[in-house]
């Protein structure tokens, strides 16, 4: 399979041969859904804590007698149906939301996403992508030359200039191949991958 290869000035300079088994996979919606939900669940920070009826600071006495008042029966003021009562199924910091996804499925899912990005013409291959300083202005000019705004740039190796010059630009992310995640791949309008990054993908996903 051949990918159109562009330069930093947005000129086509040739093509890049990539593996069909990794970059030309059929779309598998169920696998992509499982990959995304697993990633989001595993990224969840379990810090929320709620109190059950046994933890609420309320009197344990019966609010009123069982019969004769005309009101509904009530046993304790900490009842979940009362205002200020405990939760029926309270959230706990001990809850485990992690979902296991084996490496083979993860690699296959990333390959499926990359293949679909290529079919949708959302993935672009570039020979090199570098900046000479850590100034945001230079990064903005480079992206404007490539006619890119909402973009994820994937490089083989991330240096300080790329990181510092891109971190203050909205809707722009620059990451190394090893730090790519499925949610970000689907989120951005365009994905720009260096030729060295493509080769690194082939090493990691094969």
């Amino acid at each position: 399979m051949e990918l159109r290869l562009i330069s930093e000035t947005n000129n086509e300079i040739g093509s890049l041969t990539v593996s069909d088994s990794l970059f030309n996979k059929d779309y598998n919606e169920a696998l992509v859904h499982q990959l995304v939900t697993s990633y989001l669940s595993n990224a969840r920070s379990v810090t929320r804590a709620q109190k059950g009826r046994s933890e609420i600071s309320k009197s344990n006495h019966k609010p009123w007698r069982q019969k004769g008042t005309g009101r509904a029966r009530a046993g304790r003021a900490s009842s979940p149906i009362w205002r200020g009562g405990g939760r029926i199924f309270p959230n706990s910091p001990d809850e485990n939301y992690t979902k296991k996804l084996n490496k083979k499925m993860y690699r296959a899912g990333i390959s499926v996403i990359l293949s679909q990005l290529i079919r949708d013409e959302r993935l672009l291959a570039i020979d090199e992508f570098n900046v000479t300083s850590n100034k945001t202005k230079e990064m903005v000019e480079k992206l404007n030359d490539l006619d890119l705004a909402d973009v994820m740039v994937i490089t083989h190796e991330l240096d300080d200039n790329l990181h510092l010059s891109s971190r203050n630009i909205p809707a722009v992310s620059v990451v190394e191949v090893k730090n790519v995640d499925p949610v970000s791949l689907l989120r951005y309008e365009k994905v720009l991958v260096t030729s060295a990054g493509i080769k690194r993908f082939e090493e990691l996903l094969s």
Side-chain angles (χ1 to χ4, degrees):
M1 180 180 178
E2 299 291 329
L3 281 182
R4 174 175 170 265
L5 189 65
I6 62 175
S7 66
E8 292 182 307
T9 55
N10 204 16
N11 295 319
E12 184 171 351
I13 58 175
S15 61
L16 185 65
T17 304
V18 296
S19 171
D20 282 339
S21 61
L22 297 179
F23 293 96
N24 197 21
K25 278 182 174 289
D26 293 333
Y27 188 67
N28 187 333
E29 184 177 357
L31 177 59
V32 172
H33 177 268
Q34 189 172 356
L35 182 63
V36 171
T37 54
S38 297
Y39 177 81
L40 293 176
S41 295
N42 295 339
R44 190 170 175 176
S45 59
V46 188
T47 56
R48 186 178 183 187
Q50 297 171 320
K51 291 183 178 181
R53 62 184 303 169
S54 64
E55 301 168 308
I56 291 293
S57 179
K58 295 280 187 179
S59 172
N60 291 330
H61 292 291
K62 191 174 176 66
W64 51 74
R65 59 196 174 117
Q66 183 83 345
K67 295 178 178 292
T69 65
R71 290 179 289 188
R73 294 171 293 183
R76 295 171 62 181
S78 61
S79 169
I81 64 174
W82 277 43
R83 181 182 178 88
R87 297 278 298 190
I88 298 177
F89 298 111
N91 293 115
S92 168
D94 299 328
E95 289 183 75
N96 183 9
Y97 294 101
T98 58
K99 295 182 179 180
K100 184 181 182 301
L101 194 71
N102 61 49
K103 291 181 180 179
K104 186 175 182 180
M105 291 180 67
Y106 184 85
R107 291 169 182 166
I110 294 295
S111 293
V112 167
I113 293 175
L114 292 173
S115 300
Q116 188 61 38
L117 289 175
I118 293 173
R119 282 191 288 270
D120 294 341
E121 297 183 351
R122 291 172 56 194
L123 189 144
L124 305 173
I126 189 169
D127 185 31
E128 290 183 352
F129 191 85
N130 298 302
V131 289
T132 57
S133 68
N134 58 10
K135 301 297 182 182
T136 304
K137 180 179 179 180
E138 183 180 351
M139 175 64 77
V140 171
E141 291 174 351
K142 186 175 288 289
L143 293 175
N144 287 339
D145 290 339
L146 294 168
D147 195 23
L148 298 173
D150 186 1
V151 62
M152 180 181 188
V153 181
I154 303 174
T155 67
H156 176 261
E157 186 175 5
L158 182 62
D159 59 31
D160 288 340
N161 285 342
L162 280 174
H163 170 66
L164 295 174
S165 63
S166 64
R167 63 179 179 174
N168 289 330
I169 308 176
V172 172
S173 175
V174 181
V175 298
E176 292 185 24
V177 172
K178 63 181 181 180
N179 294 326
V180 168
D181 65 85
V183 174
S184 296
L185 281 176
L186 295 169
R187 173 185 176 275
Y188 290 93
E189 181 182 348
K190 296 288 185 179
V191 176
L192 185 68
V193 190
T194 63
S195 56
I198 294 286
K199 299 301 180 184
R200 184 62 176 156
F201 266 126
E202 292 181 331
E203 294 173 6
L204 294 178
L205 300 178
S206 58

